[in-house]
Amino acid sequence: AYIQEKKVAVLLVRSATKVRKDLIDACPSLQVIVRGGVGVDNIDVEYAKSKGLTVYNTPASSSQSVAELTFGMMFSMARGLYDADRLMPTSGASEFNALKKKYGKGTELRGKTLGIVGFGRIGRSLAQYALGCGMKVLAYDPFATNTDVSLTIAGQTISVKVEKVDSLAELLPHCHYVSLHVPKQQDGSAVLGAKELAMLPKGAMLVNCARGGV
């Protein structure tokens, strides 16, 4: 009603607001829809375009933040930081020796293999951190044609070519860590289902900072 009354031309939304066919049809004043973020699965993009509207998103706005969040989670899992933060205050006094032994099994990221599913802006940013940390990086993305990543260290920029594989079956068995950076699939299917998860080595760790449905 507000859009109709004020003849709003530009609608800016985040992820919670759904811009579907009924809203588009009810608001003929709309000319532009902007998603303040990367994913546009909350907008009927093709229908909006068919009605003459322009749809924008902001794909580069969060790449660095998501990459840092992902790497933070990897460090946390490698060292059991989340688990320790929960258990030490409640059980540290009575089970100190057992917990000490448990957290002593933390691992280093250096030398481990990270598989990145989706090698767009976020995947590339994550690869920069992983390479700088001494990890081996594998990328799977059917749409990526160039997997060169630039690293700037102490004012010097170098280019590293990340190895690209042609399928999840070629990627997953070799990974200590896997990180997902892909949109929700149009058919609603999961990118990693039971079949794919079974391909991962025992003890592999999975980070999903993309959509839950993947």
Side-chain angles (χ1 to χ4, degrees):
Y2 181 90
I3 294 174
Q4 292 174 336
E5 178 186 348
K6 302 297 182 179
K7 292 183 172 52
V8 173
V10 180
L11 179 63
L12 172 62
V13 299
R14 291 283 289 163
S15 59
T17 305
K18 312 299 181 188
V19 186
R20 304 300 186 201
K21 179 178 182 297
D22 56 345
L23 177 63
I24 295 170
D25 288 340
C27 303
S29 63
L30 283 178
Q31 299 176 29
V32 178
I33 302 169
V34 183
R35 161 73 164 97
V38 179
V40 290
D41 44 295
N42 57 317
I43 302 171
D44 284 343
V45 177
E46 294 307 318
Y47 183 74
K49 289 181 177 180
S50 73
K51 302 293 287 187
L53 280 73
T54 302
V55 180
Y56 293 105
N57 64 341
T58 55
S61 61
S62 62
S63 301
Q64 198 72 14
S65 296
V66 176
E68 290 189 9
L69 174 62
T70 301
F71 218 71
M73 289 182 173
M74 289 166 57
F75 271 124
S76 178
M77 291 191 297
R79 293 291 168 181
L81 299 183
Y82 177 83
D83 189 75
D85 180 66
R86 290 295 177 265
L87 292 185
M88 286 301 289
T90 58
S91 308
S94 59
E95 301 176 33
F96 180 79
N97 287 334
L99 292 176
K100 178 183 178 182
K101 185 176 181 180
K102 178 180 181 181
Y103 302 135
K105 295 179 181 179
T107 61
E108 298 174 352
L109 296 186
R110 184 176 297 275
K112 301 298 191 300
T113 298
L114 167 64
I116 302 177
V117 181
F119 209 65
R121 291 179 177 87
I122 297 174
R124 289 174 181 275
S125 293
L126 178 62
Q128 291 175 331
Y129 283 104
L131 292 168
C133 195
M135 300 185 79
K136 178 180 179 180
V137 179
L138 298 175
Y140 169 64
D141 189 329
F143 306 104
T145 56
N146 180 12
T147 56
D148 291 347
V149 173
S150 294
L151 292 175
T152 301
I153 302 173
Q156 300 182 47
T157 300
I158 61 174
S159 180
V160 179
K161 190 171 188 63
V162 171
E163 181 180 349
K164 180 184 175 184
V165 298
D166 297 325
S167 68
L168 288 173
E170 193 177 346
L171 175 83
L172 298 177
H174 305 288
C175 295
H176 300 98
Y177 293 84
V178 175
S179 189
L180 302 178
H181 301 286
V182 292
K184 179 181 177 182
Q185 304 303 287
Q186 292 184 346
D187 62 1
S189 63
V191 174
L192 295 190
K195 175 184 175 183
E196 290 77 21
L197 291 173
M199 297 177 186
L200 288 169
K202 183 178 180 180
M205 299 186 183
L206 173 64
V207 183
N208 178 22
C209 288
R211 295 289 186 263
V214 300

